[in-house]
Amino acid sequence: MEVKTNTLTPELFLDLYTSVGWEAPGIQQVKQALKNTLVSFTAYENNKAVGMVRLIGDGGMSFYIKDFAVIPSFQSKGAGTILMESIEGYIKENIQENWAVSLELISTKEAVGFYKKKGFEERPCEWDGPGMFKMIR
């Protein structure tokens, strides 16, 4: 399995996004989101895209994992791990040596165990409140 950066097209994004049962946004919205993404990673097995993730943020203090999707037939086969390693590698290569940055996400219920194994903490925790979000239409 290999990971490539910034090969995610809107069409490929929509294929991977819907493969996990998520309701797809419109293609123009995806184009805008990809244009403003810091970096995207796509996992390939035998030249077939099997997973993706986008990294967004300010590049200095805060990074956010968005649209992390692995097609069901490749879940628990290393695609998620290699994508997560790619994210963390990118961040470490693009920040100053003495910086500490926040890497955040909102997990689906099914993926909580995966993220915990990768060192993420659930919110609320001892020192922080719950993760929150608001959809605006």
Side-chain angles (χ1 to χ4, degrees):
M1 193 168 309
E2 71 173 317
V3 173
K4 296 180 182 178
T5 58
N6 298 322
T7 61
L8 199 54
T9 65
E11 296 78 13
L12 181 55
F13 174 95
L14 288 169
D15 286 346
L16 293 167
Y17 194 88
T18 58
S19 76
V20 295
W22 296 339
E23 185 179 328
I27 196 155
Q28 292 304 321
Q29 190 173 8
V30 173
K31 286 179 182 179
Q32 183 69 27
L34 291 175
K35 180 176 126 181
N36 291 303
T37 297
L38 286 176
V39 62
S40 66
F41 301 95
T42 308
Y44 292 88
E45 180 70 27
N46 297 322
N47 293 318
K48 177 187 176 190
V50 298
M52 69 169 181
V53 63
R54 293 189 310 126
L55 188 64
I56 60 177
D58 61 24
M61 293 176 59
S62 183
F63 293 88
Y64 195 87
I65 293 172
K66 192 72 180 134
D67 306 318
F68 198 142
V70 175
I71 62 175
S73 61
F74 277 85
Q75 292 175 6
S76 299
K77 294 185 179 179
T81 295
I82 197 169
L83 287 167
M84 186 62 73
E85 290 169 352
S86 297
I87 291 168
E88 291 189 23
Y90 174 87
I91 292 170
K92 289 175 183 176
E93 289 175 12
N94 288 281
I95 62 169
Q96 298 295 317
E97 188 175 325
N98 61 338
W99 289 2
V101 300
S102 174
L103 179 57
E104 304 165 7
L105 60 88
I106 294 176
S107 178
T108 61
K109 290 179 183 180
E110 300 81 11
V112 169
F114 170 79
Y115 292 118
K116 280 183 167 183
K117 287 180 193 173
K118 303 301 176 199
F120 287 82
E121 295 181 15
E122 284 186 81
R123 287 184 166 177
C125 62
E126 208 172 281
W127 57 274
D128 212 355
M132 300 176 77
F133 76 100
K134 177 180 180 179
M135 294 297 292
I136 299 173
R137 297 192 187 272

